[in-house]
Amino acid sequence: MRDAANFRKQLALTEELRRDHGTYVLTKEFFNVQAQCSRIRGYAEVTPEAVAAAAEAIRRKQLQITEWLLDMPDSERYFGDKAAFRAAGKHITIANAVANNKIADAAMFTRASAFVFAHSVLDASITTACEAAALLKPEDWVSYVEKQQVSVRDMQSRSPQELTFDRVATFVRQLSRESIVKRIERLLSVLKPGQDYEGLKDYRLNLEVIDDYDRTRQDIIHKAKFDIQLERMEDAITYMEKSFLYFTFLILWRHGEALNTRAWNEALKIST
C-alpha cells in the first residue's frame, strides 16, 4: 500500500475487486496493530523488571570499572591518595551512584522507546486507514482534488476517471506527510460518523489527546526528552491501539462491509 503506482492500479480495479482489496488491507492492519501493541506492552512491562533483576549485577560491573580506573597509571591525578580513597569506601559509593543512574535511565528509556514504538504503530495504521477508505469509496475523496489543474495532454490521452483516480491516489499517498491529527480530521470529514456510529466501548476519540501524544513523541525523538510524564504506559498504548480500531470499525460501518475473510484466514494460519 505504500507504493504510489500500485495504489493507483488498485483504485482502477473493478468496484468489487477494489472494495475487497480495501477490506483486505484494513483487516491485515487490524491484526498487525493488535500484534504490535501486544509486543510493545510486553516490552514496556518486562524490560524494567529485567533491569531491576539485574541491578546487583550492574552495580558489580560498575564497581569493576571504578576499580579499573583507580588502577590506571597516574590515576592519583584524578582520585588523590588511592589507598585512602578505597579505605573510605568512596570507590563503592561512586560505583553505586553511577550504577543507580544507569538503572534509572534504563527504566526511563524503556518507557520513552515503548511510547515511540506505539505511536509509530498508530501513525502508520492511520495512513493505512486513509488508503483503505479511499479504496472502498474513492468518490468520497474527490472533493480534495477536484480543483486541481489538468494539462491538455492529460485530457486528450486519459479518461476523466483515470485522471480523477490518479489525483486521488496522489493525494491519499501524500497524507502520510501530514500530521496524524490532520489525517484523522480528513478521515472524520470523509466518513462522517455522527451520532449513529456507536464507536468502541470504553473509548472516546479525543484529538487533543492524540495531538499531545504526537508532541510527546516529537519531544522524545527531536529534543531527547526521555522522561515522559504518563501515569500508566499501558493506558497510553491501549488508547493508541483503540484509536486505530475505532477507525477500522467506522470505515467498515460506513461502507457496509465486514472484516475480510481472506485476511482473517491468513492471520489465523499465522497464529496457529
Side-chain angles (χ1 to χ4, degrees):
M1 285 297 292
R2 296 294 181 262
D3 184 88
N6 284 339
F7 187 49
R8 291 188 184 93
K9 291 178 181 178
Q10 291 156 7
L11 280 176
L13 293 170
T14 63
E15 180 177 0
E16 181 180 359
L17 291 176
R18 176 168 42 75
R19 290 176 70 90
D20 177 75
H21 192 67
T23 59
Y24 177 81
V25 296
L26 190 63
T27 305
K28 292 279 283 188
E29 192 69 357
F30 170 79
F31 286 109
N32 175 60
V33 166
Q34 293 181 82
Q36 295 290 356
C37 287
S38 178
R39 294 187 185 102
I40 295 168
R41 281 192 198 90
Y43 166 75
E45 178 182 348
V46 172
T47 304
E49 293 181 1
V51 172
E56 190 55 39
I58 294 172
R59 293 187 181 95
R60 287 198 302 269
K61 181 65 176 179
Q62 189 59 47
L63 181 58
Q64 290 176 358
I65 294 172
T66 305
E67 295 277 16
W68 175 76
L69 289 172
L70 281 168
D71 291 336
M72 282 184 9
D74 299 325
S75 64
E76 292 88 351
R77 289 187 296 176
Y78 310 105
F79 298 101
D81 187 333
K82 291 190 293 184
F85 193 89
R86 281 192 168 103
K90 291 182 179 180
H91 61 308
I92 297 175
T93 301
I94 290 176
N96 284 340
V98 173
N100 289 338
N101 285 337
K102 288 182 176 181
I103 294 166
D105 286 346
M108 180 175 64
F109 294 156
T110 296
R111 284 170 55 81
S113 58
F115 185 90
V116 171
F117 295 157
H119 188 281
S120 297
V121 170
L122 174 61
D123 190 272
S125 70
I126 292 299
T127 296
T128 297
C130 291
E131 295 173 349
L135 285 170
L136 284 166
K137 194 175 180 183
E139 295 85 359
D140 285 346
W141 299 79
V142 171
S143 62
Y144 289 118
V145 300
E146 60 186 358
K147 294 183 179 180
Q148 292 183 6
Q149 294 183 348
V150 180
S151 69
V152 173
R153 176 183 297 178
D154 283 343
M155 292 175 60
Q156 293 175 336
S157 62
R158 307 176 71 183
S159 70
Q161 185 184 65
E162 288 176 331
L163 290 171
T164 300
F165 281 2
D166 179 74
R167 277 152 178 74
V168 168
T170 300
F171 175 80
V172 174
R173 286 289 297 110
Q174 290 177 341
L175 285 178
S176 61
R177 302 175 187 174
E178 296 186 346
S179 72
I180 188 171
V181 170
K182 187 68 174 180
R183 274 172 280 157
I184 287 176
E185 288 175 340
R186 293 192 185 280
L187 274 174
L188 292 172
S189 176
V190 167
L191 298 170
K192 299 177 174 61
Q195 296 181 349
D196 294 334
Y197 178 57
E198 296 181 356
L200 299 178
K201 183 179 180 181
D202 300 326
Y203 172 86
R204 184 176 68 86
L205 178 65
N206 188 327
L207 295 186
E208 290 184 3
V209 171
I210 293 177
D211 187 47
D212 183 61
Y213 283 174
D214 194 36
R215 288 196 301 271
T216 298
R217 189 265 314 170
Q218 293 181 46
D219 285 345
I220 293 171
I221 294 175
H222 301 296
K223 298 180 181 179
K225 292 185 177 181
F226 302 114
D227 189 14
I228 58 176
Q229 303 301 313
L230 289 173
E231 290 187 6
R232 279 176 52 83
M233 176 61 67
E234 183 174 348
D235 290 345
I237 296 171
T238 298
Y239 189 88
M240 287 187 269
E241 178 182 19
K242 285 186 175 181
S243 295
F244 168 70
L245 298 180
Y246 172 91
F247 282 103
T248 296
F249 295 120
L250 174 57
I251 292 168
L252 295 175
W253 170 81
R254 171 55 66 195
H255 298 296
E257 294 285 354
L259 291 171
N260 187 279
T261 302
R262 178 163 51 99
W264 185 281
N265 290 335
E266 289 177 4
L268 289 178
K269 289 179 180 177
I270 293 174
S271 63
T272 55

